[in-house]
């Protein structure tokens, strides 16, 4: 590991100012990804700006009924928070699927969004990689690419984004709150990560010196969940993952959101699938047509074509599970309403049959 400077910031504004004052600066949160890359020689910052102790570790309701998650909130605290578990289960499940308990106790919300790919060529400085060294090539296209992209990739890069949390945030229509040298701005999570195109070295739309300060979730709609397919059950990166939100009315899809992980350079929001779902009956046939509409865009490589049918099966299963949960909840609500009506009817009947003050004993 090469020598580097270190600055601990006391406020977000101080962190942004320090970033601009130091050459090759990087923000340091939990460090679970950045420090590993420094050990490998992939990242060689001149100065680390420590933002891990900034007052950005709170989870609070927003005025519109949503939720604000500070960038320094630890993954373990995020997954366990009652409002997240109860109102945004897809997010809680995604975070729990993402790493071991030890890592979740250190990793932060902001840092999770900024994870870099686990492509073998990116992590090996003896190999060419357009993401690490623009213009050097992408050996993964003809080399080891079983775990890599089938959607949105380019001639320059076939890497995938590793975050589980970001996939759930994409389906939940979250917004990233940023602070930079020119002030604050808001970016939809679905616009935050870039596809590789001709510049695979740029993972996000962050401007120089910008710091993530929070992520905001809108009020929840319908039911949500997250599921992940991986090579082993314990803390492996996703081959394919699915985050879904489904809102039903009278057996039809009133609204839906679907995002895939493990298939692209960024969390892949499935807009084509959502267009098929809206207004259609909540059946497996509808869910299959929706998945096909999205996955028809896939361009698998030699060794990762299996991801396409895997993504299809996973999406259909997740959507069918949400539809079944909706139906069970509706049935329970109807049964509760019937029981309440019978109770009220029995009470009224008893009142009519009871002797009155002026009636016969």
């Amino acid at each position: 590991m090469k020598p580097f400077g270190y600055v601990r910031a006391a406020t977000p504004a101080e962190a942004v100012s320090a970033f601009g004052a130091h050459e090759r600066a990087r923000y340091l949160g939990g460090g679970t990804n950045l420090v590993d890359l420094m050990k490998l020689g992939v990242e060689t910052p001149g100065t680390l700006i420590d933002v891990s102790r900034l007052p950005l570790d709170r989870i609070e309701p927003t005025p519109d009924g949503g939720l604000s998650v500070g960038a320094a909130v630890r993954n373990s605290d995020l997954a366990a928070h009652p409002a997240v578990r109860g109102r945004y289960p897809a997010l809680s499940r995604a975070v729990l699927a993402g790493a071991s308990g030890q890592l979740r106790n250190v990793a932060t919300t902001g840092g999770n969004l900024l994870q870099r790919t686990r492509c073998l060529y990116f992590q090996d400085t003896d190999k060419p990689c357009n993401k690490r060294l623009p213009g050097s090539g992408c050996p993964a296209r003809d080399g080891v690419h079983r775990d890599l992209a089938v959607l949105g990739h380019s001639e320059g890069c076939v890497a995938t984004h590793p975050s589980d949390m970001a996939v759930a945030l994409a389906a939940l229509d979250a917004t990233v709150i940023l602070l930079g040298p020119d002030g604050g701005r808001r970016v939809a999570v679905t616009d935050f990560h870039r596809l590789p195109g001709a510049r695979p070295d740029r993972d996000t739309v962050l401007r120089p010196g910008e710091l993530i300060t929070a992520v905001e979730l809108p009020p929840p709609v319908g039911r949500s969940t997250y599921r992940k397919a991986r090579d082993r059950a314990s803390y492996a990166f996703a081959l394919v993952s699915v985050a879904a939100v489904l809102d039903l009315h009278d057996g039809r899809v009133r609204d839906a959101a679907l995002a895939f992980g493990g298939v692209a350079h960024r969390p892949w929001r499935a807009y084509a699938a959502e267009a098929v779902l809206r207004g259609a009956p909540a059946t497996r046939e509808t869910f299959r047509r929706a998945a096909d509409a999205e996955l028809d865009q896939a361009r698998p490589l030699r060794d990762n074509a299996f991801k396409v049918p895997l993504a299809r099966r996973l999406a259909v299963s997740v959507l069918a599970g949400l539809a079944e949960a909706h139906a069970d909840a509706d049935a329970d609500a109807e049964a509760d309403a019937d029981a309440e009506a019978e109770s009220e009817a029995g009470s009224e009947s008893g009142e009519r049959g009871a002797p009155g003050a002026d009636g016969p004993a």
Side-chain angles (χ1 to χ4, degrees):
M1 186 181 291
K2 295 184 178 180
F4 56 88
Y6 176 84
V7 175
R8 179 179 291 170
T11 67
E14 184 179 308
V16 171
S17 177
F19 191 102
H22 293 84
E23 187 178 355
R24 298 190 349 265
R26 293 287 187 275
Y27 290 125
L28 174 68
T32 57
N33 186 207
L34 176 59
V35 173
D36 283 346
L37 294 178
M38 290 171 65
K39 292 177 181 178
L40 293 171
V42 175
E43 289 276 6
T44 56
T47 302
L48 292 180
I49 313 299
D50 189 344
V51 296
S52 64
R53 303 189 187 188
L54 295 183
L56 302 174
D57 59 351
R58 301 184 65 180
I59 300 175
E60 301 174 311
T62 58
D64 66 352
L67 204 64
S68 173
V69 180
V73 170
R74 305 293 174 175
N75 285 182
S76 54
D77 294 332
L78 178 64
H81 195 278
V84 177
R85 293 177 62 190
R87 304 178 68 208
Y88 306 95
L91 179 55
S92 181
R93 291 168 186 169
V95 174
L96 290 173
S100 67
Q102 293 93 327
L103 286 175
R104 291 197 302 270
N105 287 338
V106 177
T108 63
T109 300
N112 197 306
L113 286 173
L114 296 176
Q115 289 184 80
R116 306 208 70 188
T117 183
R118 265 54 177 195
C119 174
L120 297 175
Y121 300 97
F122 172 74
Q123 294 184 321
D124 186 347
T125 56
D126 291 331
K127 301 290 193 300
C129 172
N130 286 325
K131 180 174 282 297
R132 183 168 28 80
L133 183 62
S136 62
C138 178
R141 293 192 65 87
D142 297 316
V144 180
H145 55 241
R146 175 180 177 270
D147 297 343
L148 301 183
V150 297
L151 288 164
H153 56 82
S154 71
E155 287 298 317
C157 186
V158 293
T160 50
H161 193 271
S163 173
D164 293 280
M165 184 191 80
V167 180
L169 291 176
L172 293 168
D173 285 320
T175 300
V176 185
I177 313 303
L178 304 172
L179 178 66
D182 299 323
R185 68 182 180 121
R186 303 165 62 89
V187 178
V189 163
T190 48
D191 296 326
F192 183 72
H193 297 97
R194 298 179 65 258
L195 292 179
R199 289 294 308 274
D201 54 308
R202 293 187 57 204
D203 291 342
T204 72
V205 298
L206 278 175
R207 298 167 185 166
E210 281 191 318
L211 173 71
I212 299 174
T213 60
V215 173
E216 288 188 359
L217 294 159
V221 176
R223 292 175 176 271
S224 73
T225 195
Y226 178 85
R227 196 178 302 171
K228 174 179 179 178
R230 47 193 168 183
D231 281 328
R232 63 181 189 273
S234 178
Y235 313 125
F237 293 103
L239 295 171
V240 176
S241 64
V242 172
V245 180
L246 198 63
D247 183 27
L248 303 184
H249 180 68
D250 289 339
R252 303 186 80 86
V253 180
R254 180 160 50 190
D255 200 6
L258 188 68
F260 289 103
V263 297
H265 208 71
R266 67 183 184 193
W268 187 269
R269 183 68 181 262
Y271 293 113
E274 293 171 11
V276 172
L277 290 170
R278 292 190 183 98
T283 63
R284 282 188 172 267
E285 177 57 31
T286 295
F287 302 150
R288 278 191 288 269
R289 286 193 297 106
D292 286 342
E294 194 65 45
L295 295 169
D296 281 348
Q297 306 171 61
R299 294 182 291 124
L301 302 174
R302 181 193 64 236
D303 296 330
N304 66 2
F306 74 94
K307 285 194 173 191
V308 178
L310 177 60
R312 180 184 298 110
R313 292 194 301 270
L314 194 60
V316 171
S317 177
V318 166
L319 290 167
L322 285 175
E324 183 177 345
H326 263 283
D328 290 345
D330 289 345
D332 289 344
E334 185 175 346
D336 289 344
D338 289 344
E340 185 176 349
E342 290 176 4
S343 176
E344 290 177 353
S347 175
E348 291 174 359
S349 174
E351 289 174 0
R352 287 194 297 271
D358 297 326

